[in-house]
Amino acid sequence: MGEAAEQMTGDKWVYRFGGGSADGNTGMKNLLGGKGANLAEMARLGLPVPPGFTLTTAVCTAYYDRGETYPDGLEKEVNEALAAVEKETGKVFGDNDNPLLVSVRSGARASMPGMMDTVLNLGLSDVTVEGLAKKAGERFAYDSYRRFIQMYCNVVLGMKHDIFEHILDDYKERFEYNLDTELSADDWKEIISQYKAAIRKQLGKPFPDDPHEQLWGAVGAVFGSWMNDRAKLYRKLNDIPAEWGTAVNVQSMVFGNMGETSATGVAFTRDPSTGEKVFYGEFLINAQGEDVVAGIRTPAPISRSRADAISSDEAPLEEAMPKVYNELVEVANTLESHYRDMQDIEFTVEDNKLYMLQTRSGKRTAAAALKIAVDMAQEGLINEEEAVLRLMPGQLDQLLHPTISADAKRDVIVKGLPASPGAAVGKVVFSSDEAAERAEKGEDVILMRVETSPEDIHGMHAARAIVTSRGGMTSHAAVVARGMGRPCVCGAGGLHIDAEKGVFRSGGREFKKGDIVTIDGAEGEVLSGEVDMVNPDLSGDFGKLMEWADRARTLKVRTNAETPHDVETAISFGAEGVGLCRTEHMFFESERIPVVRSMILANDKKGREAALSKLLPMQRGDFAEIFRLMGERPCTIRLLDPPLHEFLPHSEDEMAEVAKSAGVDIEVLKRQANELHENNPMLGHRGCRLGITYPEIYEMQARAIFEAAVQIAKDTGYSPIPEVMIPLVGTRKELDILKEKVDATAQAVFKETGTELEYLVGTMIELPRAALQAGQIAETADFFSFGTNDLTQTTLGISRDDAARFLKDYEDQGIYEKDPFVTLDQDGVGELVRIAAERGRKTKTGIKLGICGEHGGDPASVAFCHRLGLNYVSCSPYRVPIARLAAAHAALQKADA
């Protein structure tokens, strides 16, 4: 992490903000973090921001580089910045009469809601609490003090919340209090005394009473939280490098819990679930900011227009504090116009005065991101290219999958808040650990919790949907679920969860762990059983944004498909051709597999040809249907690739059945299967090696391709473009031999039918030798298609089927940044692709280059292919829109660079 620290040499570590000015601005997000940069910008805009200062991300970098110690000069800069805050507020840090209290919050350059630690009310002690009591009242002061002790002990001193919760609950039970608000100042004093006794007992030392010691403890805790487990997992899920570090923001406290004229809330300038242009948010009167997002109390809506969507008995802010509401709306409009994006803002009202604590680009669902991007472009706030860049390719997954059918029978168990749209079906679980364990086994699970916390991040990611009985639309569960694209229902008050017994109850009904439920995040409903789904509507805003994306990109996008259904799906998603048709998949259909097995079991070429003659019309029909659907779009058809033993039965019963239908003795069949068995079939008798050994197989397939193409040309009047691909070539000679046979077959079909068509013969580059010899192979090949699945296996020496047992350890220890079978290893496999592309083009300038492994639908890999100047990527049908958008991003980002 040393580079950022080196960049700071000779510069300052601390940047101030407040009082209508700031040292930093919104363009300094890398140094000040998102929160610090935006606080500085709001101060510059003259908005009511409590003064404070930011310790930069470079301090975090230096802190870890120096073995968790602070860089020279930092303490002096912090003391100077603290003095400036004292001057601005008229309060003094640690003063007996008019104490300055501060919040200490994290702020990375990328938003990580709830992942790192926060401390509020810092600066309170047995002495300063009396000064606060004189200013704001005894009960408020001592309530604030006990909150601070709880938070500081948990975040900084590592004590569990439960210790303090038990003390508080026992006290309330002893004196028959139901609510915290019933406790007096004297009650809080007694509870604080018990808290401090518990601290001394567990830690062997007293609670720190020196505000400066408290401050440095909190700063260290925030830097330390950058490396906590939940933060590391969040970074991994969201591609945030550990090297970025976090900033720390120290800001003077304002209080939303000073009575009925004070409040705190969170708002969005547009609806983060739907993208609708409405002012949207929640608030709590007489509360601190953490109370809203923690989901402990269900908050009230900010505006009347959203009151029907939020179950609350409280009046909306628009009615409870109309002057504050109007000022907040004006600030929100200013911020959205200034940042030209939907903003997520946090605010506090202290004695009817509004303060802005944060603004950032709001987390949103994919549907909301799409609508906001298109609407803002049409409003003239951003241009079409910016709109394309606002929707991340990975978000499209949320838009491309089914929702609940309007005609479906809905057995509603409970209704809550529609916190994150989408629908999902799964088995109920009540713990995040179990959600993760079951998901790893391939089960679909629905995570049900009373409320979620940052510790639940792994279970939320593993679950198909999340349900909580408490919390509002801006609770932790809601914000994180929207960011992850998970359907979510929050604040389902009628839901009673008994995690210990493994049941939940609602409306007199009881459901057990493992029961199937359906979640409708758009309606905020939990439904019994599995409910019918419908395919998404990809017109309207989706069609418009993809049209803009297509204008921007240069990389073509094809699909990997071999069934009519997959081809039709891919075309509907905008596929511009077939990049990989795996012909072996067609052989596994029930009426074909016996014929394939008889071909394998044949004793000589004549027997194989007899079986192949039965397969010919079947394959011809397959290809004809693909050509018919694809029209004049190119279709790359890979000839048979897997080893023949894959088509033979394996169990005793299957062996007996095949032997009987083939009319051979079962022992003969077993012997044949034994002879075909290979110790390492991935590197065995497969791909072009089958074509060399059994040329009649490839000749049959080539004939089926060309006969189908001619048939469609005669039937429709347009000319299909077959691209015949020879797999697993390692030498030019292999391709020479097999291309000659394909060409001969093509000419024979053209002569027989009196029709000639354009076609190409190329190869799949999936062996390191082929990549290195690409210059020679290009003398014969018309195109290269990089089969990055096998190229990754053969380059890294890792079996994709066996890698799961150790790849996670490799990722966790930073050996591989990402799973190389998901995101292309650009330094190793990518370098071979680059070498092959360069050498192939040097031999044959116009050679067509594409990629057809699973990486073809991975945004980072698509960007790499764009940079190399490949002609196309090919991916599964549902990844086609993702690849189209990723290709547009790559083109636009390169243009901006």
Side-chain angles (χ1 to χ4, degrees):
M1 294 177 73
E3 185 181 345
E6 288 301 317
Q7 291 172 349
M8 283 299 301
T9 302
D11 206 344
K12 58 186 182 179
W13 302 104
V14 177
Y15 285 66
R16 304 174 198 169
F17 59 82
S21 66
D23 295 341
N25 58 58
T26 193
M28 300 173 72
K29 192 175 289 187
N30 292 0
L31 185 64
L32 302 181
K35 186 173 292 184
N38 288 333
L39 284 168
E41 192 73 8
M42 285 197 293
R44 283 170 170 266
L45 290 171
L47 299 180
V49 176
F53 54 90
T54 301
L55 284 72
T56 67
T57 57
V59 178
C60 183
T61 302
Y63 176 77
Y64 281 105
D65 283 351
R66 295 164 181 248
E68 299 186 18
T69 58
Y70 297 113
D72 298 338
L74 178 65
E75 187 174 357
K76 179 175 179 288
E77 289 190 37
V78 167
N79 289 337
E80 289 171 352
L82 199 55
V85 176
E86 290 174 332
K87 183 178 179 183
E88 179 68 29
T89 60
K91 301 175 182 179
V92 178
F93 196 54
D95 188 63
N96 297 3
D97 297 318
N98 190 19
L100 170 67
L101 304 183
V102 297
S103 63
V104 180
R105 289 183 168 97
S106 64
R109 69 168 86 168
S111 175
M112 295 173 62
M115 292 304 108
M116 289 180 292
D117 293 327
T118 294
V119 179
L120 304 178
N121 304 328
L122 189 143
L124 281 172
S125 66
D126 290 346
V127 174
T128 59
V129 71
E130 293 179 11
L132 181 63
K134 290 174 194 171
K135 293 280 184 184
E138 264 204 321
R139 191 197 173 282
F140 167 77
Y142 283 94
D143 181 19
S144 298
Y145 192 17
R146 69 92 189 177
R147 286 173 181 255
F148 167 58
I149 291 170
Q150 278 184 253
M151 190 176 281
Y152 192 91
C153 286
N154 176 249
V155 169
V156 181
L157 303 180
M159 292 179 67
K160 291 189 175 177
H161 275 300
D162 296 355
I163 294 169
F164 304 102
E165 292 297 335
H166 286 319
I167 292 171
L168 179 56
D169 289 345
D170 289 347
Y171 188 92
K172 285 161 67 176
E173 188 176 339
R174 188 172 9 130
F175 292 99
E176 298 183 349
Y177 292 129
N178 292 316
L179 302 172
D180 291 358
T181 50
E182 297 175 273
L183 277 71
S184 68
D186 287 337
D187 290 321
W188 288 128
K189 288 177 185 178
E190 174 57 30
I191 288 166
I192 288 167
S193 175
Q194 292 183 31
Y195 279 4
K196 290 196 169 188
I199 294 164
R200 185 181 285 276
K201 181 179 178 182
Q202 177 157 335
L203 301 180
K205 60 181 180 180
F207 183 79
D209 220 33
D210 177 3
H212 288 275
E213 181 186 345
Q214 294 171 359
L215 177 61
W216 285 104
V219 168
V222 172
F223 284 140
S225 70
W226 178 249
M227 288 298 179
N228 70 29
D229 289 341
R230 65 179 186 263
K232 287 195 279 191
L233 178 58
Y234 189 91
R235 288 200 298 272
K236 180 179 175 182
L237 296 176
N238 292 277
D239 297 333
I240 299 171
E243 292 77 17
W244 284 4
T246 183
V248 176
N249 297 288
V250 179
Q251 190 173 20
S252 59
M253 284 293 301
V254 287
F255 297 96
N257 58 337
M258 290 184 69
E260 297 303 304
T261 59
S262 300
T264 189
V266 176
F268 296 84
T269 56
R270 304 191 187 214
D271 189 321
S273 290
T274 66
E276 186 184 355
K277 192 177 181 180
V278 293
F279 191 43
Y280 171 103
E282 298 170 328
F283 81 110
L284 286 168
I285 285 179
N286 195 19
Q288 285 200 312
E290 297 301 303
D291 297 336
V292 179
V293 296
I296 294 164
R297 287 167 59 189
T298 299
I302 282 180
S303 60
R304 287 193 199 99
S305 63
R306 300 298 299 172
D308 60 331
I310 299 175
S311 305
S312 176
D313 297 329
E314 304 294 330
L317 183 69
E318 190 173 1
E319 295 174 4
M321 299 178 176
K323 183 172 178 293
V324 168
Y325 173 80
N326 290 333
E327 188 181 351
L328 182 63
V329 170
E330 191 176 327
V331 168
N333 290 336
T334 298
L335 289 171
E336 183 173 278
S337 296
H338 181 74
Y339 284 99
R340 301 185 312 125
D341 195 9
M342 183 266 277
Q343 293 298 292
D344 167 1
I345 56 182
E346 293 179 19
F347 66 92
T348 285
V349 181
E350 181 180 294
D351 196 18
N352 286 316
K353 179 168 174 54
L354 175 69
Y355 292 94
M356 302 308 299
L357 304 184
Q358 175 165 283
T359 190
R360 60 188 174 194
S361 292
K363 295 284 182 186
R364 63 204 78 178
T365 64
L370 174 63
K371 179 167 178 54
I372 290 168
V374 172
D375 284 355
M376 284 188 168
Q378 293 177 331
E379 291 164 19
L381 204 57
I382 59 177
N383 61 37
E384 291 177 3
E385 291 182 349
E386 288 174 299
V388 168
L389 291 171
R390 290 286 172 89
L391 188 67
M392 299 310 293
Q395 288 181 294
L396 287 183
D397 253 347
Q398 299 174 43
L399 300 175
L400 301 177
H401 296 284
T403 53
I404 292 175
S405 167
D407 302 326
K409 184 181 177 184
R410 303 172 74 97
D411 179 4
V412 180
I413 300 170
V414 69
K415 187 171 175 67
L417 303 176
S420 182
V425 177
K427 296 176 182 176
V428 172
V429 296
F430 300 107
S431 86
S432 288
D433 288 343
E434 185 173 2
E437 287 164 13
R438 287 191 176 223
E440 271 195 23
K441 296 173 185 173
E443 295 182 49
D444 293 337
V445 296
I446 306 297
L447 179 62
M448 283 195 173
R449 305 280 283 161
V450 174
E451 63 201 16
T452 64
S453 73
E455 281 75 18
D456 290 306
I457 186 76
H458 63 300
M460 297 174 77
H461 183 256
R464 293 293 181 183
I466 299 115
V467 180
T468 65
S469 58
R470 292 209 300 231
M473 300 287 279
T474 53
S475 66
H476 175 267
V479 171
V480 173
R482 283 195 292 269
M484 288 183 171
R486 299 290 186 275
C488 182
V489 176
C490 283
L495 187 66
H496 302 285
I497 296 171
D498 188 336
E500 283 189 15
K501 292 184 178 176
V503 299
F504 75 89
R505 302 178 187 90
S506 180
R509 304 164 73 182
E510 183 174 287
F511 296 82
K512 300 182 185 68
K513 181 173 75 174
D515 285 351
I516 301 288
V517 296
T518 298
I519 307 305
D520 186 344
E523 295 296 325
E525 292 179 346
V526 180
L527 312 172
S528 180
E530 184 171 347
V531 179
D532 291 340
M533 305 278 184
V534 292
N535 287 324
D537 176 17
L538 299 180
S539 56
D541 288 343
F542 180 88
K544 193 176 295 293
L545 190 92
M546 294 310 293
E547 181 186 322
W548 297 342
D550 289 341
R551 274 189 220 145
R553 68 184 168 91
T554 55
L555 197 63
K556 298 290 185 185
V557 178
R558 300 192 192 183
T559 189
N560 301 340
E562 46 277 330
T563 68
H565 172 73
D566 284 350
V567 171
E568 285 179 309
T569 301
I571 291 171
S572 73
F573 286 153
E576 296 164 297
V578 171
L580 175 63
C581 172
R582 292 157 288 211
T583 56
E584 63 273 5
H585 286 197
M586 301 164 172
F587 286 173
F588 284 101
E589 292 183 17
S590 56
E591 73 275 12
R592 302 180 187 195
I593 195 70
V595 183
V596 175
R597 285 168 174 166
S598 67
M599 182 265 291
I600 295 169
L601 294 171
N603 292 321
D604 54 24
K605 182 177 179 181
K606 186 177 178 183
R608 284 191 296 275
E609 287 177 337
L612 289 167
S613 68
K614 294 178 184 177
L615 284 173
L616 174 62
M618 299 177 190
Q619 285 257 277
R620 183 170 58 232
D622 294 329
F623 300 141
E625 189 59 31
I626 291 171
F627 291 144
R628 189 184 305 279
L629 291 168
M630 272 292 162
E632 294 188 319
R633 302 178 187 92
C635 295
T636 302
I637 299 171
R638 183 180 72 187
L639 302 185
L640 190 66
D641 183 37
L644 295 179
H645 80 89
E646 285 193 12
F647 300 98
L648 290 179
H650 301 289
S651 72
E652 194 72 26
D653 289 345
E654 284 180 327
M655 284 276 190
E657 187 182 331
V658 170
K660 184 179 177 183
S661 63
V664 298
D665 186 270
I666 190 168
E667 294 306 318
V668 173
L669 181 60
K670 285 181 179 178
R671 189 167 59 249
Q672 191 89 17
N674 230 18
E675 288 171 3
L676 288 171
H677 172 76
E678 295 177 294
N679 290 325
N680 190 352
M682 190 196 82
L683 298 177
H685 194 188
R686 56 165 285 215
C688 68
R689 298 157 194 170
L690 288 173
I692 296 292
T693 310
Y694 306 120
E696 55 273 14
I697 297 176
Y698 277 16
E699 287 169 339
M700 179 279 289
Q701 290 192 295
R703 174 167 283 276
I705 291 167
F706 294 121
E707 286 181 352
V710 167
Q711 176 191 325
I712 295 303
K714 288 182 174 180
D715 290 350
T716 64
Y718 57 72
S719 299
I721 308 171
E723 298 179 350
V724 181
M725 184 156 68
I726 314 294
L728 211 73
V729 161
T731 71
R732 175 186 169 180
K733 187 67 174 172
E734 289 168 317
L735 186 60
D736 286 344
I737 292 169
L738 293 171
K739 183 177 186 297
E740 187 179 327
K741 294 186 181 301
V742 171
D743 287 339
T745 303
Q747 294 309 312
V749 171
F750 296 160
K751 186 175 180 182
E752 291 162 16
T753 60
T755 302
E756 287 204 20
L757 294 173
E758 179 189 344
Y759 71 94
L760 304 176
V761 179
T763 186
M764 209 165 182
I765 302 289
E766 47 196 328
L767 296 174
R769 189 183 195 282
L772 297 172
Q773 293 295 303
Q776 287 189 20
I777 293 171
E779 293 176 7
T780 301
D782 298 319
F783 67 87
F784 290 162
S785 180
F786 294 96
T788 51
N789 297 343
D790 274 351
L791 188 57
T792 297
Q793 293 193 95
T794 55
T795 301
L796 301 183
I798 295 176
S799 164
R800 182 171 49 161
D801 298 327
D802 302 310
R805 62 185 71 171
F806 64 84
L807 267 183
K808 185 177 183 302
D809 293 330
Y810 268 54
E811 289 181 74
D812 290 345
Q813 295 180 48
I815 298 170
Y816 292 139
E817 190 176 329
K818 291 283 193 67
D819 181 338
F821 293 104
V822 175
T823 295
L824 192 70
D825 163 35
Q826 296 183 18
D827 294 334
V829 180
E831 180 67 5
L832 285 173
V833 174
R834 185 189 63 76
I835 289 169
E838 286 178 359
R839 293 180 181 179
R841 284 178 176 142
K842 189 174 181 182
T843 297
K844 189 176 287 182
T845 308
I847 191 168
K848 190 182 289 189
L849 304 174
I851 182 175
C852 64
E854 286 302 308
H855 301 101
D858 170 65
S861 306
V862 170
F864 174 78
C865 293
H866 172 84
R867 291 195 298 273
L868 277 193
L870 301 192
N871 299 95
Y872 68 86
V873 295
S874 188
C875 55
S876 60
Y878 275 93
R879 304 291 292 177
V880 166
I882 295 169
R884 287 165 64 196
L885 186 57
H889 275 226
L892 292 171
Q893 286 161 353
K894 187 175 181 182
D896 288 343

